[in-house]
Amino acid sequence: MANSDLCGRVFETQVDHILVGNVMEKSVVKNEFECQEKCIEKESRCKSCNVYPEENDVICELNNKTRLMKAADFKRKRGSTYYGLVQISCIEVFYDEKAARNSGHYHPGRKGKGCLTREKHSMFSTSKTETDRNTYTAVPGWSSRHPALSCKQILEAGDSKGDGEYWIDPEKNGSSLKVFCDMTTDGGGWLLIYNVIAGGTVPPTNLNIEETYAGVSRYSSNRMVLSPDGMRELRSRMSFTQLRFHCRKRQHGRTFHVKTAANSSGEAVVGFFGGDTDVFPKACGSFEKLKGDNSVLASKCVEWGKENGVFHVGKWGHEGNKELYMYSAFIANYCHWATWPGHGRWECDDYRNDLTRGDFWKIYVR
């Protein structure tokens, strides 16, 4: 985001909702990130935005109000996502930005008493010294100069700005990566490592298969997936303990949304896709359904997988393939997770290869 280094505005996310009657500008965009950037660029005029598919396009609507300002205009609409700018503890800077820049007291990407809201700052006595009020510390994850180790670390430190772009450096070697963190779903702290979004009804001819974990910084291409080597490298650099799979096909109303469980079965799934083992992990008992899941896959785990030439073995993965995009979860000839251009497979809990703009497949780790 353009203003990600500032103590500034952040977005809340409301899936399958829309704010109606307050649109100040409407345009076609590539993805939700571009729409958020358009809203930020409008500064004080844009308060929120709606993103939804329409025929073969992704529509971005910039609103001059938020759902809190116009509660009666906030409606449920399947397939639409509402992003509202909200305030957190570091939103309203005590010092006027222009004056602070001129005085040398402006510190982007910092937190501290000088970056509290006016309401909170007023609780400090006027006897506090100027030095005390201007004590700042760098906020890990908010700039390339001060990266965090992971999305989860940012969240646990209380430095989340909501869903969006952050900077991480899992190796602590000075090579910062700009990544996307989901800070709201199921407690937040999720790093996006697989992001495929349909740009229209014509299937893409290729994916960007990233051979190193640094490829997660190219998520906005909407074609980013990690190879098995990339997953192994990520696992060695970042000790993530959970995976989250989320795909949705709008036309058929199918959503697969699960996370691996915090138990030995869930850990086996993480180890398998992370390259720790070649043992196919059991499906049933290894995951938990999340909000919005209406999938057949999640209800028929005993029928998943292929091992030793046999289908329906009740396990994650497909014999001969460790790529996440090749049937990481599937029921043969019925319900698949697949984004495989070489074989024309674009399946989310179905056995159909048709696409609608905005259909997506995402995988996160934390």
Side-chain angles (χ1 to χ4, degrees), residues 77 81 93 95 120 289 291 339 349:
K77 180 180 178 181
T81 302
V93 182
Y95 297 100
K120 287 192 175 184
K289 295 175 63 172
K291 183 178 180 181
T339 57
D349 194 53

Side-chain angles (χ1 to χ4, degrees), residues 31-83:
N31 51 45
E32 66 267 34
F33 311 118
E34 182 179 344
C35 189
Q36 292 175 16
E37 289 174 353
K38 283 179 176 288
C39 186
I40 290 173
E41 288 170 359
K42 298 297 180 182
E43 296 181 347
S44 60
R45 292 193 297 145
C46 182
K47 306 296 184 183
S48 65
C49 57
N50 307 314
V51 182
Y52 58 89
E54 184 176 88
E55 297 181 352
N56 292 328
D57 295 319
V58 175
I59 302 301
C60 169
E61 293 181 343
L62 305 185
N63 305 314
N64 57 15
K65 302 292 182 182
T66 68
R67 69 181 182 90
L68 300 177
M69 297 174 180
K70 292 286 186 177
D73 296 337
F74 191 58
K75 309 292 185 182
R76 183 169 181 81
K77 180 180 178 181
R78 185 173 181 83
S80 179
T81 302
Y82 165 87
Y83 297 96

Side-chain angles (χ1 to χ4, degrees), residues 105-167:
H105 292 155
Y106 177 72
H107 299 273
R110 300 300 179 97
K111 66 179 179 180
K113 295 175 182 177
C115 199
L116 295 171
T117 60
R118 286 192 177 94
E119 291 78 7
K120 287 192 175 184
H121 194 87
S122 66
M123 293 189 293
F124 289 98
S125 167
T126 54
S127 65
K128 291 285 185 180
T129 67
E130 187 72 12
T131 300
D132 185 42
R133 286 199 300 268
N134 287 329
T135 301
Y136 297 90
T137 57
V139 183
W142 285 32
S143 75
S144 60
R145 297 183 302 278
H146 302 288
L149 296 178
S150 66
C151 299
K152 185 178 179 181
Q153 184 195 51
I154 296 168
L155 182 76
E156 291 178 344
D159 294 327
S160 168
K161 302 175 292 180
D163 297 348
E165 292 181 337
Y166 294 83
W167 293 88

